[in-house]
Amino acid sequence: MTVRRFEDDEARKGDLAAARPGRRPAWRSVVLAALAAVLVLAGCSSGPASPPTTGASPPRSTSGLGQAPDVRPSESGSVSADEAQRRRFTAAATLLKTKPGVLGILVRDRRTGELWQAGTTDHPIWTASTIKLAMAVGLLERARAGEITLDATARRQIADMLNVSSDDAATALWNRYGRDSQLTRFQQRYGMTGLTTVAGYSRFWGHLKCTADDLQRLMSYVLDRLNPTDRAYLLDAMRSVGAIQHWGIWAAGAAQQPGTKNGWSIEPDPGGKHWVTNTVGFAGDGQRYVVAIMYQLPPGKTIDAGVHTVSDLVATVFGARTPARVTVPDPSTGL
């Protein structure tokens, strides 16, 4: 799998201070420079110029991390779909840089195998309700293997946990089906290697931290390895979530057929209590893209800021309208 990091052109040059709002887009400088070169070459006897760079992948970085590409029109003067997507990733990375707190986004292209990322994707952040997706996956798998029985009550609780992010349903399922013994499965089978309990708190579904990398691997497991029947159930549930979760990956737009499991809560950390607004899911034809975003806001910032930030990142990546039209959960649900 190829990993690409998308940063703006100024950051790639090492001039972070120059990356500010209102600066002339870097692609215009590239085009102007190219036109100047053509005019110079027209008056000399050198050979023909090389064709412009195209394709979905940015150039390799000597640091080992993919960085923002120089996006240029194709020879016909039009912009290819791959170039347009690269522009959207670059725009999302630039938007991310303007936001305070700890924020990271991962988008995995299941068709090409590439993984685009920007921001901080390996910092452990409170999972909030995103861990409910792992719980649902584990329960469905264990039931299919004959290890547990899911009666009508349990199946209704799974549905409520996914649809309206019911905490009561999650707690009932947690207590009934193994409590913290479920964590080993999440870590070892679903690739959530960064998933940890929080010191000083009980080993409970609501007291966990993970990284955006962990959420990406969890969603990839669902799409690539889960039993087809169980997968179909989860995808349908994630596409039809209640209004309380109409944000995050939902902001990709109906044309992308997105599915999401969101998480939002007020959590304690050094520096004071703060909101987290996380989203994990998929978008695109055939669930082409896996998306995971985790956002730890600074103390004092509101849930509105977090919801709009992660939603606008998703909308930017998928070419949907911004500011994204979202439903912000009642802040009391995070207490």
Side-chain angles (χ1 to χ4, degrees):
M1 177 175 62
T2 303
V3 178
R4 306 291 187 190
R5 287 197 66 86
F6 277 72
E7 309 292 347
D8 58 21
D9 287 329
E10 286 76 13
R12 190 176 69 256
K13 296 173 183 175
D15 185 12
L16 293 175
R20 58 183 182 273
R23 184 175 177 85
R24 186 175 64 181
W27 68 266
R28 290 182 59 191
S29 297
V30 173
V31 172
L32 290 175
L35 288 173
V38 169
L39 291 174
V40 171
L41 290 173
C44 66
S45 58
S46 59
S50 299
T53 301
T54 60
S57 303
R60 287 184 295 175
S61 165
T62 55
S63 68
L65 295 176
Q67 297 178 330
D70 291 327
V71 180
R72 305 166 181 161
S74 64
E75 289 182 312
S76 66
S78 63
V79 176
S80 71
D82 286 341
E83 287 169 340
Q85 183 63 69
R86 293 169 69 201
R87 287 186 180 181
R88 290 195 292 269
F89 277 117
T90 301
T94 301
L95 172 63
L96 182 148
K97 285 178 175 294
T98 69
K99 304 302 179 180
V102 182
L103 174 60
I105 178 173
L106 290 132
V107 182
R108 174 177 167 248
D109 186 335
R110 297 174 61 233
R111 186 176 300 171
T112 67
E114 285 199 286
L115 179 66
W116 289 280
Q117 58 181 296
T120 304
T121 61
D122 58 357
H123 178 79
I125 291 174
W126 294 83
T127 65
S129 291
T130 56
I131 198 62
K132 293 171 184 172
L133 176 59
M135 291 173 61
V137 176
L139 293 172
L140 292 174
E141 279 198 323
R142 290 165 65 194
R144 184 163 295 281
E147 299 174 13
I148 60 173
T149 298
L150 296 176
D151 57 19
T153 297
R155 292 190 178 276
R156 183 176 65 253
Q157 289 168 337
I158 291 173
D160 290 345
M161 189 170 62
L162 296 171
N163 185 260
V164 295
S165 202
S166 170
D167 289 350
D168 290 341
T171 298
L173 292 167
W174 176 267
N175 292 335
R176 181 178 178 182
Y177 291 107
R179 300 177 182 265
D180 62 329
S181 65
Q182 300 172 75
L183 299 180
T184 300
R185 186 184 196 91
F186 304 165
Q187 294 161 333
Q188 297 180 1
R189 188 175 180 89
Y190 306 153
M192 303 183 74
T193 55
L195 179 67
T196 61
T197 55
V198 181
Y201 290 82
S202 60
R203 296 174 65 85
F204 178 62
W205 72 263
H207 300 155
L208 302 172
K209 287 186 177 184
C210 77
T211 69
D213 294 299
D214 293 320
L215 292 182
Q216 182 276 135
R217 288 190 289 267
L218 168 64
M219 192 68 239
S220 291
Y221 180 91
V222 172
L223 293 172
D224 299 337
R225 299 179 58 189
L226 191 62
N227 173 276
T229 300
D230 294 336
R231 179 191 307 127
Y233 167 77
L234 286 174
L235 299 190
D236 181 67
M238 295 175 73
R239 285 195 181 105
S240 56
V241 292
I244 198 170
Q245 294 190 88
H246 286 185
W247 55 277
I249 298 168
W250 189 267
Q256 297 290 342
Q257 301 180 352
T260 191
K261 181 68 200 83
N262 297 335
W264 61 102
S265 59
I266 294 178
E267 302 291 0
D269 270 311
K273 289 187 176 180
H274 60 87
W275 278 98
V276 296
T277 52
N278 309 324
T279 185
V280 59
F282 56 87
D285 183 43
Q287 306 86 51
R288 176 173 177 175
Y289 298 101
V290 174
V291 185
I293 305 176
M294 298 194 81
Y295 189 15
Q296 176 178 310
L297 283 80
K301 294 295 182 178
T302 65
I303 185 176
D304 300 64
V307 165
H308 282 288
T309 291
V310 299
S311 302
D312 286 350
L313 277 176
V314 171
T316 300
V317 167
F318 291 100
R321 62 162 288 165
T322 55
R325 293 178 178 174
V326 300
T327 298
V328 178
D330 183 336
S332 67
T333 64
L335 298 177

